[in-house]
């Protein structure tokens, strides 16, 4: 009997050490130590032994049992560690592996034009000014020499929040706000969103963008205005760009003008972009009306100034060859990522 127990012990120790995974090990434990296990069977069969042999065999079986328990525990620990090592190896993260490509967006064409214009004017010593889009009618109209009966104030043209508050229909009210806050010399541009009660078509949108410019100082003349716009258009649209001024009317400037630039696509010969004209109408401008200076607390006997304003969409469309303004507001990524 003792030999049998010794054989069981030797076999089980051999099997435990050659066991390669936890499932096998637990099956093995059942085989030797389980209810029907080989050692248990010996204990059960003790009745057949001589009475004096029973305690000896019983003790031996229990001793072997304890030893095997320890072997099982040892092997279990080893196998668990191995399993963990394998897992760590197989789930290793390679931090040098190139990442998945993230689609990076691009600046909207309108933003690109605004940034570019800002750069040019900052380079000429201008500051960037800002004003509210929900604006008091007094700034959008009255202070700009646009009296209550002026057609520009019609509900057909302008979105009214109340009788006194509008969505600004132009960036020009920023002129009045800046003049009230700052003393000359003033040199600002103001890019921003404006609103008009227009129906949507390929060249109109009720929401669009303008850039306003204002210079007020002593001895500012029409020459300064012309030189500034010439410099700007050459930098923005190309060195060969020519500019021409036509008389016009705006309530807040006197004299007023509209400036056209030679078509920067065909150079003036006439093409699709300039509709065969050779010129593209670009900017409204003029010398700040003395009433406007006075309305904003600046003495027109001492100071003079010029102002200009132009639409950003028009420049973006001409520059990027976009033939429908709606594309600029639909924000279809397939369209936007071309610029
Ligand atoms: N605010 C004018 C418009 O929306 C554009 C404009 C014309 C602005 C002449 C000016 C200016 O500052 O002097 O049509």
């Amino acid at each position: 009997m003792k030999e049998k127990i010794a054989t069981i012990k030797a076999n089980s120790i051999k099997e435990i050490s050659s066991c390669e995974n936890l499932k096998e090990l637990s099956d093995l434990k059942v085989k030797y130590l389980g209810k029907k296990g080989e050692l248990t069977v010996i204990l059960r069969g003790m009745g057949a032994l001589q009475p004096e042999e029973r305690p000896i065999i019983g003790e031996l079986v229990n001793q072997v049992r304890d030893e095997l328990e320890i072997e099982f525990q040892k092997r279990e620990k080893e196998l668990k560690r191995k399993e963990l090592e394998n897992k760590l190896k197989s789930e290793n993260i390679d931090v040098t592996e190139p990442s998945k490509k993230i689609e990076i967006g691009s600046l909207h064409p309108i933003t690109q034009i605004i940034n570019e214009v800002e750069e040019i004017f900052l380079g000429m010593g201008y500051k960037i000014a800002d004003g509210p889009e929900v604006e008091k009618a007094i700034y959008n109209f009255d202070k700009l020499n646009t009296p209550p009966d002026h057609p520009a104030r019609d509900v057909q043209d302008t979105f009214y929040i109340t009788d006194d508050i509008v969505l600004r229909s132009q960036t020009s009210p920023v002129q009045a706000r800046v003049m009230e806050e700052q003393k000359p010399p003033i040199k600002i541009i103001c890019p921003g969103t404006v609103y008009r009660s227009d129906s949507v078509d390929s060249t109109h949108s009720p929401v669009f963008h303008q850039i306003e410019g204002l210079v007020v100082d002593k001895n500012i003349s029409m020459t300064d205005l012309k030189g500034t716009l010439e410099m700007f258009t050459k930098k923005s649209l190309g060195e060969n760009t020519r500019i021409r001024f036509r008389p016009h009317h705006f309530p807040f400037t006197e004299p007023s003008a509209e400036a056209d630039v030679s078509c920067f696509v065909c150079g003036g010969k006439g093409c699709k972009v300039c509709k065969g004209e050779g010129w593209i109408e670009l900017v409204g401008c003029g010398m700040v009306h003395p009433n406007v200076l006075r309305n904003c607390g600046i003495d027109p006997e001492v100071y003079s100034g010029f102002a200009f304003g132009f639409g950003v969409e028009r420049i973006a469309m001409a520059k990027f060859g976009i033939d429908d303004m709606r594309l600029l507001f639909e924000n279809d990524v397939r369209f936007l990522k071309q610029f």
Side-chain angles (χ1 to χ4, degrees):
M1 184 56 80
K2 280 184 187 163
E3 291 91 72
K4 193 171 176 194
I5 296 172
T7 315
I8 293 176
K9 182 180 163 182
N11 284 347
S12 62
I13 286 183
K14 212 160 74 194
E15 283 186 60
I16 289 172
S17 63
S18 62
C19 177
E20 280 308 329
N21 64 57
L22 289 163
K23 168 82 178 66
E24 251 177 53
L25 191 69
S26 112
D27 290 347
L28 214 55
K29 206 168 171 181
V30 173
K31 177 177 167 195
Y32 288 106
L33 307 179
K35 272 189 201 154
K36 294 177 188 163
E38 295 188 17
L39 278 179
T40 321
V41 168
I42 291 178
L43 281 179
R44 289 229 176 102
M46 292 259 276
L49 296 177
Q50 298 298 322
E52 64 274 19
E53 266 188 323
R54 285 180 203 157
I56 300 168
I57 297 299
E59 204 189 318
L60 187 61
V61 169
N62 281 336
Q63 195 189 323
V64 170
R65 210 187 156 82
D66 289 348
E67 282 171 20
L68 290 184
E69 286 280 7
I70 290 172
E71 288 301 316
F72 274 115
Q73 274 174 22
K74 252 168 54 188
R75 190 64 188 152
E76 190 179 329
K77 255 193 201 162
E78 281 169 15
L79 288 176
K80 276 192 173 157
R81 204 186 50 232
K82 258 195 187 167
E83 230 167 56
L84 182 68
E85 272 169 17
N86 286 340
K87 205 169 170 195
L88 286 175
K89 256 188 225 153
S90 66
E91 290 177 6
N92 206 351
I93 296 170
D94 179 1
V95 290
T96 65
E97 194 179 333
S99 61
K100 277 189 200 140
K101 213 172 147 212
I102 298 169
E103 289 257 358
I104 299 174
S106 55
L107 289 178
H108 192 282
I110 295 293
T111 310
Q112 288 183 39
I113 299 286
I114 290 177
N115 288 351
E116 205 179 287
V117 173
E118 282 186 356
E119 276 309 308
I120 294 172
F121 279 100
L122 285 171
M124 295 200 275
Y126 283 66
K127 296 216 163 68
I128 314 288
D130 201 7
E133 289 173 27
V134 180
E135 181 58 286
K136 291 180 178 157
I138 199 169
Y139 282 102
N140 198 68
F141 298 122
D142 302 61
K143 284 180 193 274
L144 298 175
N145 204 31
T146 310
D149 53 0
H150 194 281
R153 300 180 71 134
D154 199 302
V155 282
Q156 299 281 329
D157 294 331
T158 308
F159 292 111
Y160 282 83
I161 304 290
T162 66
D163 285 348
D164 310 324
I165 296 177
V166 297
L167 294 185
R168 68 177 178 195
S169 60
Q170 47 187 356
T171 42
S172 306
V174 181
Q175 288 188 30
R177 289 185 169 271
V178 169
M179 283 191 276
E180 281 185 351
E181 272 167 28
Q182 297 172 27
K183 291 201 166 358
I186 291 169
K187 244 176 128 174
I188 58 107
I189 60 160
C190 166
T193 312
V194 299
Y195 303 83
R196 283 190 200 169
S197 178
D198 277 332
S199 324
V200 178
D201 64 26
S202 65
T203 53
H204 292 87
S205 160
V207 184
F208 60 103
H209 300 81
Q210 286 187 333
I211 297 179
E212 192 79 15
L214 173 71
V215 172
V216 182
D217 203 351
K218 287 178 177 156
N219 301 318
I220 296 293
S221 73
M222 194 86 182
T223 333
D224 298 308
L225 168 63
K226 290 180 86 173
T228 302
L229 288 182
E230 190 172 335
M231 178 91 138
F232 162 65
T233 47
K234 280 186 189 302
K235 287 205 168 174
S236 169
L237 306 171
E239 278 305 314
N240 296 327
T241 309
R242 283 161 293 132
I243 186 165
R244 74 175 185 193
F245 290 77
R246 285 179 286 106
H248 202 77
H249 170 263
F250 296 104
F252 35 86
T253 42
E254 180 59 35
S256 302
E258 259 187 351
D260 307 327
V261 285
S262 54
C263 178
F264 41 86
V265 175
C266 65
K269 286 190 211 88
C271 70
K272 214 175 94 189
V273 172
C274 61
K275 299 190 183 79
E277 299 272 314
W279 294 91
I280 295 176
E281 183 189 313
L282 196 75
V283 42
C285 58
M287 301 306 294
V288 182
H289 197 294
N291 286 350
V292 175
L293 292 173
R294 221 173 279 120
N295 289 344
C296 302
I298 292 176
D299 184 353
E301 299 298 327
V302 181
Y303 293 103
S304 54
F306 67 76
F308 57 87
F310 56 87
V312 181
E313 279 74 6
R314 169 167 296 200
I315 298 192
M317 288 169 76
K319 225 173 158 170
F320 295 122
I322 299 166
D323 57 9
D324 193 324
M325 195 188 276
R326 288 169 284 205
L327 290 165
L328 289 168
F329 297 100
E330 283 165 359
N331 288 335
D332 185 328
V333 175
R334 290 168 302 179
F335 166 75
L336 292 177
K337 73 179 174 192
Q338 299 173 55
F339 308 101

